[in-house]
Amino acid sequence: MTTIFLFLYLLLISTATATATTLYSDVSALKAIKAAIDPTTIPSYSCLASWNFTSDPCSNHHVTHFLCGLSCSGNRVTQLTFDRAGYVGTLSPLVSKLTQLITIDISDNKLSGPIPASLFSLPNLQTLNLRSNSFSGTIPPAISNLKSIQAIEISHNSLSGSLPDTLSLLTLTRLDLSFNKFTGPIPKLPKTLIELAVKSNSLSGYLPKTSFNGLTQLEVVELSDNSLTGTIPGWFLLQQSLQQVNLANNGFTGIEISKPIDSNLIAVDVGYNKIVGNIPVNLSAYPVLSSLSLRYNNLYGPIPPEFSQKATLKRLFLDGNYLSGLPPKEFFSGKSSVSGSLGDNCLKSCPISSELCLKSQKPSSICQQAYGAKGKPKS
Ligand SMILES: *[C@@H]1O[C@H](CO)[C@@H](O)[C@H](O)[C@H]1NC(C)=O
Ligand SMILES: *[C@@H]1O[C@H](CO)[C@@H](O)[C@H](O)[C@H]1NC(C)=O
């Protein structure tokens, strides 16, 4: 008995490796995926045009059929990678039958409709890239069923609704949801996150500590062009692994900066907010800070000399505020290699020979009005 079973087993294995006959349910899923694309938008040179089901998708003798758009391991499809051919259509829910999928990359096409909910049950999916399509609808809480996911990129689509807190259950290192229509607060985030980008949406509320708790690998935060409010809290820039932070063009009204013990922060952009106060001098204590923008806020008072003496600082944008007094002369001594702008402020004697002062200062009438009769800023 056992020998017969062993014989049958060996026979099965050898036929599978010799011809790699694709699992039937994978073939039918691929057929459904192609059928969900408008055939008039499948150019003859494209990957999908080469999907001709008279041959077997995973067989490795392709000369004319299944030239690209998928990869297999044995008799299972592991990657779905469309070319940028401008395919119009939807993503078939039967994609979930491809249970060995590791990668979906159908970026830069014209697929629309919702992201099929069944997709979130794929147990082995590591990379989901739907960037630059026209997907709409929401991200459901069931996204947390993607147990192997590492990177989600769905920027430049039309997704809406609020982001589910279940995102925090994922083992994600990279999340890019920029250029959609998401609303509501910043959700709890995955602790494994290295890069967070939700630029150009309509997120609101403040920066919640609970969302960022325990994110010890977070390097990049890109939340510009939203409707975030409140004070940028002191703990935020103290997150030790942070390198780049962009919170520009929101509605922040304040910023708290504590001196760091250790920090990898290289670039901070909080321009185009409504931050009232003095320039936070503690920013100059960040050891490798190289690029800083506080432009177009409501900052007043002098520019602390610490910034002109900071060797790591290469770009400094302070324009569009109500900064007053004499700018630190080290900026213009020839030793400083800082570029940027100090223009559109209330500074005295900003030398126009310096690139930093190319943009002119505010008219004195506006500055007098801003500082009131006693020389103190009105709020
Ligand atoms: C698929 O391939 C077969 C055999 O090579 C060919 O006869 C048929 O026209 C092809 N179908 C399409 C839609 O290209
Ligand atoms: C600067 O940092 C120190 C130490 O973290 C803190 O005590 C102080 O309040 C900060 N100054 C400002 C103006 O925020």
Side-chain angles (χ1 to χ4, degrees), residues 174-230:
R174 191 179 143 70
L175 177 64
D176 188 349
L177 302 174
S178 300
F179 298 97
N180 280 285
K181 297 169 181 171
F182 290 114
T183 52
I186 298 171
K188 285 209 186 78
L189 298 165
K191 297 210 188 325
T192 41
L193 212 56
I194 294 173
E195 207 175 323
L196 171 70
V198 199
K199 186 187 164 92
S200 278
N201 278 278
S202 300
L203 298 182
S204 57
Y206 56 100
L207 291 172
K209 184 140 171 57
T210 49
S211 298
F212 291 87
N213 257 347
L215 275 69
T216 54
Q217 306 177 71
L218 188 65
E219 293 177 3
V220 177
V221 174
E222 173 59 86
L223 289 171
S224 62
D225 303 283
N226 279 286
S227 303
L228 300 170
T229 52

Side-chain angles (χ1 to χ4, degrees), residues 336-353:
S336 166
S337 57
V338 176
S339 65
S341 180
L342 308 178
D344 198 6
N345 275 297
C346 298
L347 295 169
K348 290 197 187 84
S349 319
C350 204
I352 48 169
S353 56

